[in-house]
Amino acid sequence: MTDHSGAADRLSRMIRIPTVSAEIEERGSAPFEAFVELLEELYPNVHRRLARERITELGLLFHWRGADSDSDPVVLMAHYDVVPVDASDAWTHPPFEGRIADGFVHGRGALDDKGPLLVILEAVETLLLEGFAPARDVYLSFGGNEETFGDAARTIAETFSVRGITPWLVLDEGGAVVDAPLPFVRGQAAMVGVGEKGAMTLRLSARGDGGHASAPPPLTAVTRVARAVARLHPRTFPTSTPRGVSRMLERLVPSTHGPARLLYRLLAARPRLTARLFARMGGEPAAMIRTTIAATMLEGGTAANVLPSRASATINLRIALGETVASTVQRVRRRVADRAIRIDVVDGEDPSPESSTENAQFGIIADAVRTSHPGASAVPYVMLAATDSRHFHRFAPAVYRFAPLAMSSALRATIHGVDERVAVGELERGIRFHRSLLQRLPARQLP
């Protein structure tokens, strides 16, 4: 096995470059160009042996030709942009210092998503040094504006479609290796996203007569919007258990004991019961089985004593599998029940279809997990957040979401939060995962 002792140092250097896509207008594109140049320095064999395309200003697509270029290729995805840091947050180590301490690499992007990007490149670079060639073509797709729902990954996916290339396997960020993913479950599970919810932003707005606040009418633009928001409670949408959740429960049965094993078997076979139970649990379980809705921004007014002539609310929805953007808007409109409220779709994408767990692609992922994290088994689940892989699911039949790093609940809480960090030992295991996956690729199409 090639020595990866420098992986932590290389990740540290990546973190030091503040590729904050939400601040690109303020910072300019220089950090992103610096990051691309850093990759050239850190991974010379990748850049010497693989063809690289710049697709949009922030998209990187590497093409590694395999022994059988007639077979459909594999696409390994990651993104190199990160979310902003709140200056008022107290980090143990500066977020863009890339400090290596206490067995961790600290900093913004360590888990989301520069760490997962690094382990892909480390695996490919070392396999190239060993003279390895994959059984089929492999593409590395890296986007620089995933966190701002940018167009880099979408344009890369469109490039595949225009060229008539249908990936055999697409693997992006998503789940991770976790401890006890649900109550009564023992041991580790590698949570592999087989589908993801849709994402939509709505703007509810209303107009009213302006004027002095000393003589307000019964219903102002603000109160009309506030009433509409209040009508959109967490139970606005019905519950339904996706097949991916039932498959998750099936796979977790061996990790339970006693009455819990009977419960998980029952839930796996009874999706309606699962939906009722998960709804009562709230939090992430409830989000798995229904469309979620949250008011995230309110706007209106110019002064404390002036009635605004216009008010609005921004609503974020994560659309459950089985629903669509159109059906979701229709339900919101019925629930608001006010023709004076204007409802505009700011952006919206339907949920993805679910990828199979009974195919060679999922089997290869499961085998690679056994190599990198021997105590974990691959378990399917439905992702609640959006990833760049959603742009491939319209034409690629096998799309999965999994970062091969173990993350405790405390570590997962640092993603987009304070003190984001990744264990140095997990970088080694992540590299091992991708090496194993690439070495196991079959040359011929398997059913």
Side-chain angles (χ1 to χ4, degrees):
M1 182 76 179
T2 304
D3 179 20
H4 302 292
S5 58
D9 292 321
R10 288 186 280 276
L11 178 57
S12 172
R13 293 184 64 185
M14 290 183 185
I15 290 171
R16 289 176 213 159
I17 301 177
T19 50
V20 183
S21 51
E23 298 174 355
I24 195 167
E25 291 187 4
E26 306 163 32
R27 297 176 182 264
S29 60
F32 296 84
E33 291 302 318
F35 190 86
V36 172
E37 292 175 6
L38 177 64
L39 293 186
E40 294 181 25
E41 176 191 340
L42 298 182
Y43 303 102
N45 285 288
V46 168
H47 287 78
R48 188 179 304 121
R49 298 279 302 279
L50 277 61
R52 190 192 75 179
E53 291 183 76
R54 298 289 296 266
I55 297 181
T56 75
E57 291 185 9
L58 298 175
L60 298 174
L61 182 65
F62 295 87
H63 182 194
W64 189 6
R65 291 197 176 275
D68 182 5
S69 288
D70 291 331
S71 292
D72 291 339
V74 168
V75 180
L76 302 179
M77 302 182 68
H79 65 88
Y80 59 93
D81 64 316
V82 299
V83 296
V85 171
D86 189 328
S88 66
D89 287 336
W91 286 61
T92 303
H93 303 291
F96 292 110
E97 183 181 282
R99 178 82 63 88
I100 302 172
D102 306 318
F104 289 87
V105 184
H106 298 255
R108 174 62 82 224
L111 292 173
D112 184 19
D113 189 37
K114 290 179 178 178
L117 182 147
L118 172 129
V119 297
I120 293 173
L121 285 169
E122 292 282 323
V124 174
E125 180 78 4
T126 56
L127 286 171
L128 287 168
L129 282 170
E130 296 166 16
F132 173 81
R136 59 178 65 213
D137 287 8
V138 173
Y139 288 88
L140 312 181
S141 173
F142 302 146
N145 52 12
E146 189 271 351
E147 298 290 3
T148 52
F149 295 93
D151 64 347
R154 183 179 69 247
T155 307
I156 289 172
E158 290 171 352
T159 300
F160 275 75
S161 184
V162 168
R163 293 175 182 175
I165 303 172
T166 302
W168 183 74
L169 166 65
V170 176
L171 183 60
D172 196 6
E173 64 169 334
V177 177
V178 303
D179 292 315
L182 285 174
F184 312 118
V185 175
R186 300 180 181 180
Q188 286 189 320
M191 305 303 294
V192 180
V194 295
E196 65 181 58
K197 298 177 75 173
M200 181 166 66
T201 302
L202 295 180
R203 183 172 292 114
L204 311 185
S205 57
R207 292 193 172 275
D209 294 331
H212 201 282
S214 61
L219 199 61
T220 67
V222 168
T223 52
R224 190 179 289 276
V225 168
R227 184 179 67 179
V229 171
R231 288 174 176 172
L232 299 174
H233 52 72
R235 296 184 301 279
T236 294
F237 293 89
T239 61
S240 178
T241 303
R243 176 62 184 146
V245 172
S246 295
R247 288 185 288 171
M248 174 185 72
L249 296 169
E250 289 173 2
R251 296 278 180 136
L252 290 175
V253 166
S255 300
T256 58
H257 299 276
R261 177 166 291 192
L262 296 176
L263 173 62
Y264 274 78
R265 281 177 176 163
L266 177 63
L267 292 175
R270 300 281 297 277
R272 290 184 180 179
L273 178 62
T274 300
R276 290 199 296 270
L277 177 61
F278 276 32
R280 291 181 180 179
M281 291 173 67
E284 288 191 1
M288 291 182 190
I289 49 85
R290 67 163 27 121
T291 295
T292 58
I293 184 165
T296 55
M297 300 171 67
L298 296 172
E299 184 179 5
T302 57
N305 62 345
V306 176
L307 297 174
S309 58
R310 186 179 183 278
S312 67
T314 300
I315 310 293
N316 183 264
L317 301 101
R318 299 304 166 117
I319 306 171
L321 276 66
E323 299 282 348
T324 65
V325 167
S327 67
T328 302
V329 172
Q330 186 178 29
R331 181 172 287 273
V332 168
R333 196 178 303 279
R334 288 200 307 267
R335 182 67 65 176
V336 168
D338 186 347
R339 293 184 177 180
I341 292 289
R342 175 172 173 166
I343 301 176
D344 293 307
V345 178
V346 178
D347 54 61
E349 290 185 280
D350 291 338
S352 77
E354 294 186 49
S355 296
S356 174
T357 56
E358 305 300 325
N359 57 10
Q361 293 93 323
F362 190 86
I364 287 173
I365 293 171
D367 289 341
V369 166
R370 282 189 283 271
T371 300
S372 63
H373 297 82
S377 57
V379 176
Y381 85 113
V382 174
M383 274 210 49
L384 307 181
T387 69
D388 274 343
S389 68
R390 70 189 185 279
H391 302 300
F392 279 94
H393 74 239
R394 293 177 180 85
F395 64 96
V399 180
Y400 302 94
R401 302 147 184 91
F402 173 66
L405 306 171
M407 302 181 198
S408 65
S409 58
L411 281 180
R412 295 197 301 277
T414 69
I415 296 174
H416 289 204
V418 176
D419 282 346
E420 185 177 352
R421 61 197 185 276
V422 63
V424 173
E426 283 307 306
L427 297 178
E428 169 65 28
R429 282 181 275 276
I431 297 164
R432 196 180 304 151
F433 170 89
H434 281 293
R435 284 177 57 93
S436 174
L437 185 142
L438 290 166
Q439 290 170 328
R440 293 172 186 271
L441 294 178
R444 297 182 181 179
Q445 298 294 117
L446 295 180

